[in-house]
Amino acid sequence: MDGGSSLNIMYANMLDEMGIDRTNLYPIRAPFHSVVPGKQAMPLGQIDLTITFGDQFNYRTETLTFDVVGFPETFHAILGRLCYAKFMAVPNYTYLKLKMPGPHRVITVSTSF
């Protein structure tokens, strides 16, 4: 979760693990900053992916655009403000939780250190 960023970032290794061919990326010519401290990063491309949070009875699905980067990762993806706005989600960085409205109740996405 990165509420300070307007980017949704996915690492190329994660795209490979999902079985999505890199030929599905569409080109982007805009570099971004502050992902690699002190350096400019150029994405390999962008991809639109359907993302679902929740379980089989209470879920939300939206399409998000990810900038795909090819440098070593610590995470699978980083969700930015654009994701939060689309899902109407509220991140809590202290408890590493993301909450959003679902059709039946609040959806809570949890993680661990």
Side-chain angles (χ1 to χ4, degrees):
M1 299 184 310
D2 185 1
S5 173
S6 63
L7 298 173
N8 295 313
I9 297 173
M10 179 168 290
Y11 294 89
N13 288 348
M14 184 62 201
L15 201 65
D16 296 339
E17 288 180 28
M18 292 169 59
I20 299 172
D21 194 313
R22 292 186 190 188
T23 60
N24 291 321
L25 297 176
Y26 51 90
I28 181 171
R29 303 185 72 150
F32 51 86
H33 304 274
S34 300
V35 173
V36 178
K39 294 188 179 183
Q40 164 179 298
M42 190 64 164
L44 300 174
Q46 285 186 328
I47 191 165
D48 295 327
L49 296 174
T50 302
I51 306 298
T52 301
F53 290 110
D55 59 32
Q56 61 187 359
F57 304 109
N58 187 43
Y59 61 90
R60 288 275 310 274
T61 300
E62 299 286 349
T63 300
L64 297 178
T65 301
F66 287 88
D67 284 11
V68 179
V69 295
F71 41 86
E73 80 278 351
T74 306
F75 308 102
H76 301 297
I78 298 174
L79 303 175
R81 289 190 315 260
L82 298 176
C83 170
Y84 303 152
K86 198 164 233 187
F87 279 96
M88 297 183 294
V90 177
N92 185 303
Y93 300 103
T94 305
Y95 296 106
L96 295 176
K97 294 192 184 299
L98 186 64
K99 293 189 175 206
M100 67 194 74
H104 302 293
R105 62 185 181 285
V106 172
I107 298 168
T108 301
V109 180
S110 300
T111 187
S112 66
F113 292 102

